Structure formats: structure tokens, C-alpha cells
Amino acid sequence: MEITNVSEYEAIAKQKLPKMVYDYYASGAEDQWTLKENQHAFSRILFRPRILIDVSKIDLRTTVLGFNISMPIMIAPTAMQKMAHPEGEYATARAAAAADTIMTLSSWATSSVEEVASTGPGIRFFQLYVYKDRSVVTQLVRRAERAGFKAIVLTVDTPRLGRREADIKNRFVLPPNLTLKNFEDLDLGKMDKTNDSGLASYVAGQIDRSLSWKDVKWLQTITKLPILVKGVITAEDARLAVQYGAAGIVVSNHGARQLDYVPATIMALEEVVKAAQGRIPVFLDGGVRRGTDVFKALALGASGVFIGRPVVFSLAADGEAGVRKVLQMLHDEFELTMALSGCCSLKEITRDHIVTEWDRPRIAPRL
């Protein structure tokens, strides 16, 4: 069967993967309301296309933190990719480099920063969880720097792990043949089997619940790399991110895996963009499955988007070739959306190209 859109990879991944692994990637927190909403909310934004504009040449290129990339579509950090495919993060790194875009490597990858760097050139960011033992964090950041990673993506929405009931039912644990490769030498690479989610127990034991804005400052003392704060969904926190020297914000609800009943990220985006006042770039993570979604995010002020689940599902289905195809399909769909909306470059995409549910005047009921 020919794959014609990104979402079709999920059914193939579900067929191929063990239930515990598929459920780990696919599920969200508690009632999974936000999980559904992350995608569904895009359908409440409609286009206002402009016509009779010369769209014979369309330029999707952009810069992110000064790095020139082929399109404003990048790879979000997703953990333990070797559960999806034996080549795991290696395959994802090669696919991102081939597409000339940025890959973000998860702290909890099943390949180390050094191994991913060994796949060849490419612009890579490193996602960081802050451990209780700060020497672990310092070592990890140093290793990412030495391996040529260009930015730190600090996840700030996980003082504790969200309640993911599928993982509890499945007694989720990292398969015995795999380790959290970045922590292998620190004796933190394995996950114990528990009566709960093995990952939830690991997080409870290792991740620092006291993490606060002062730690963003501390991180700046141990690295010169720019720091993106991932997990901001309010104007208040956007202003604090600017104040504390973040290089950018990723509007994210952790793939709807942390607190359920937070808004879809596309719904939170405009509030965060307005609060940032153009002082730092704002990116969107969550729910992107179509080129039209990318356009809507940019129209609402995002500088780019990150994709997560489409990467692991396509990786499970077809390895590196699957990830390459996802990136190519999103590129092509986004280019087509631009053409049909009358935009030749990213700077031509404006708020006037869309209408949202909250823009439309409420029609007064007849008395």
C-alpha cells in the first residue's frame, strides 16, 4: 500500500510493534482529552487564501538560532527509539540530515550523543532532563557540547511523570536488550520492573522536582549553548522565559503526556507569541500531522514546528526511509499550502491568512 500521508504510519506501527511499545509511544495522560485535542484543534482554524499571486517560486528555507535549514519543520525529542527500530536514533539522525533540518536527541535516547554524532554532519539539539545529581547534568551537557550539539532543549513540564494509564497497565519497562545510552556509564541506564510504570518510578527516583527558574540561570553558567525552554503554554511563563535569558520557547504539552486538560498547543501558541513580543523565537510542538498544520502554526506566530510521534511511527514502519518520507511529505504539503494561500516565502505568511474560531463574531440570538 502506498503511504500518502503522515497519519497512515501509525496503523502500520501499531501492527508491527509489541503492545507495550506502541502504547508507550501513542498514549497520553489520564483521559487523553488533550491528546485528541492536540490534533483536533487544528481543524478549528480555517484559511483565508489570497489568489492571483505569482507562486511559481516558493522558498521554505529559514534560520533557527542562526542555523540555516530547508524548512520550518524539525524533529522533536522522543525517547527510546530503538524500541521502534533497531537503528533507532541513528536512522532518525541520518533522515534529518538528509532533509537538511534539525534533530533533537532525547536525554532518554537508546543511542548516546557520541553515537548520534558519529552518523555524520547535521544540526542537532540536545533535550535535557535535570537530574537530582547535578554532576550528571553537567557531564551530559559537556558531552553534548563535545559531540557538536548546537543547543540545549530544557524540558520544564516534568517535575513528575504524568499518569499514563496504558504504561501502568502494561507495567512499562525498557526492554532488557536496551539501555538509556547517555546514562550507561553512570549506572542510571537501566529501568527496574515495578508494579507501576517503570519510567514513572525511574523519574520519581532521579528527576529533580525542585527545578525552578533559577536553574535556567545555573544552566547558563555551565554552558554557552543557547537554551530553549520546552513546555511553556502560558503568557506568564513566556515572559519569565524571556526574563531568565532563554534563547527560545517551545510551546509544548509534552505530547499530552503530562497534565491532561491543558489546551492544545496550537490553542496556547498565540498567547505565548504575544507575550514573547518578538524578543525570542517561539516554536510549536504537538499535533502536527499535515503541511496545513505547519502553515497554521506559522500564521499564529510560530517560527517553526517540531514533530514527535510521526517520527517514531514512521521509524517503526520503515526505518530511516520512513522518517525521510514523513519529512518529505510534510515539506511538500506545506509548500502546496503556501502556494494555494498565495505565499512565496515564510515572511509572507500572516495572521490574515487564517481565521480561528475565536476570531469569528458571536451571532446574537434572536429575541
Side-chain angles (χ1 to χ4, degrees):
M1 184 191 76
E2 193 188 348
I3 301 279
T4 54
N5 67 65
V6 165
S7 296
E8 288 174 349
Y9 277 114
E10 181 166 356
I12 299 169
K14 188 173 187 177
Q15 242 174 340
K16 286 184 98 159
L17 292 171
K19 183 176 174 2
M20 181 192 78
V21 172
Y22 170 77
D23 285 354
Y24 169 73
Y25 291 141
S27 64
E30 297 185 353
D31 299 328
Q32 303 192 123
W33 182 85
T34 300
L35 182 68
K36 295 185 267 288
E37 184 67 5
N38 263 357
Q39 285 185 60
H40 183 63
F42 280 101
S43 69
R44 299 200 292 275
I45 301 168
L46 304 179
F47 292 120
R48 299 182 68 249
R50 301 300 308 277
I51 47 130
L52 292 175
I53 290 167
D54 177 355
V55 290
S56 52
K57 287 193 180 69
I58 293 186
D59 182 15
L60 272 61
R61 295 198 73 82
T62 190
T63 56
V64 169
L65 303 183
F67 298 101
N68 202 278
I69 55 174
S70 66
M71 57 181 172
I73 302 165
M74 299 163 282
I75 293 181
T78 51
M80 312 176 214
Q81 291 181 14
K82 282 188 180 175
M83 293 195 307
H85 188 276
E87 294 190 350
E89 294 84 1
Y90 285 79
T92 302
R94 289 193 297 262
D100 191 17
T101 192
I102 292 165
M103 173 195 181
T104 315
L105 183 71
S106 169
S107 275
W108 295 335
T110 38
S111 314
S112 68
V113 288
E114 293 83 3
E115 288 172 334
V116 169
S118 78
T119 62
I123 305 157
R124 301 185 186 105
F125 294 173
F126 181 69
Q127 177 272 333
L128 181 69
Y129 283 113
V130 175
Y131 279 57
K132 289 173 182 172
D133 180 348
R134 291 307 168 86
S135 68
V136 167
V137 179
T138 305
Q139 280 180 61
L140 207 50
V141 168
R142 295 266 149 80
R143 283 171 57 197
E145 284 178 335
R146 279 200 301 272
F149 284 68
K150 302 300 185 195
I152 300 296
V153 178
L154 177 66
T155 295
V156 293
D157 58 11
T158 313
R160 296 170 59 170
L161 203 71
R163 184 176 173 81
R164 306 168 190 176
E165 292 174 6
D167 292 348
I168 297 168
K169 281 190 172 71
N170 295 329
R171 305 278 189 267
F172 173 80
V173 70
L174 187 63
N177 59 318
L178 297 174
T179 59
L180 301 178
K181 219 45 198 230
N182 287 313
F183 300 96
E184 207 174 33
D185 300 342
L186 301 160
D187 289 332
L188 297 169
K190 281 287 181 198
M191 223 176 269
D192 300 323
K193 247 196 175 336
T194 64
N195 296 328
D196 192 342
S197 152
L199 184 61
S201 304
Y202 181 87
V203 168
Q206 301 299 339
I207 301 304
D208 191 350
R209 293 183 186 185
S210 76
L211 189 71
S212 69
W213 285 106
K214 70 177 187 320
D215 297 301
V216 177
K217 283 287 184 212
W218 169 75
L219 208 49
Q220 290 164 7
T221 68
I222 68 162
T223 183
K224 291 285 172 277
L225 292 179
I227 296 163
L228 293 176
V229 176
K230 178 175 181 280
V232 172
I233 52 173
T234 64
E236 295 89 334
D237 285 334
R239 284 190 282 271
L240 285 166
V242 172
Q243 192 183 317
Y244 280 86
I249 289 168
V250 183
V251 175
S252 172
N253 52 36
H254 210 115
R257 292 156 78 78
Q258 284 298 100
L259 180 62
D260 201 12
Y261 297 99
V262 295
T265 47
I266 193 68
M267 290 295 170
L269 175 62
E270 198 164 29
E271 173 182 326
V272 172
V273 166
K274 284 177 175 166
Q277 296 180 319
R279 290 158 73 182
I280 57 176
V282 175
F283 304 94
L284 175 108
D285 164 79
V288 173
R289 299 293 182 276
R290 284 278 190 191
T292 49
D293 299 338
V294 181
F295 188 102
K296 289 170 185 181
L298 268 63
L300 286 167
S303 293
V305 304
F306 287 90
I307 55 164
R309 286 187 182 90
V311 171
V312 286
F313 292 147
S314 59
L315 182 66
D318 199 16
E320 181 186 338
V323 181
R324 280 185 184 227
K325 179 145 187 182
V326 156
L327 291 168
Q328 190 63 52
M329 283 191 293
L330 286 173
H331 172 282
D332 293 350
E333 287 180 12
F334 177 50
E335 184 179 47
L336 180 60
T337 306
M338 285 176 66
L340 296 178
S341 298
C343 299
C344 296
S345 67
L346 303 189
K347 67 176 188 302
E348 290 177 13
I349 301 173
T350 68
R351 184 65 169 77
D352 292 334
H353 284 99
I354 56 165
V355 61
T356 66
E357 213 174 48
W358 56 96
D359 294 330
R360 295 170 210 150
R362 302 214 179 273
I363 295 169
R366 284 201 180 127
L367 296 174

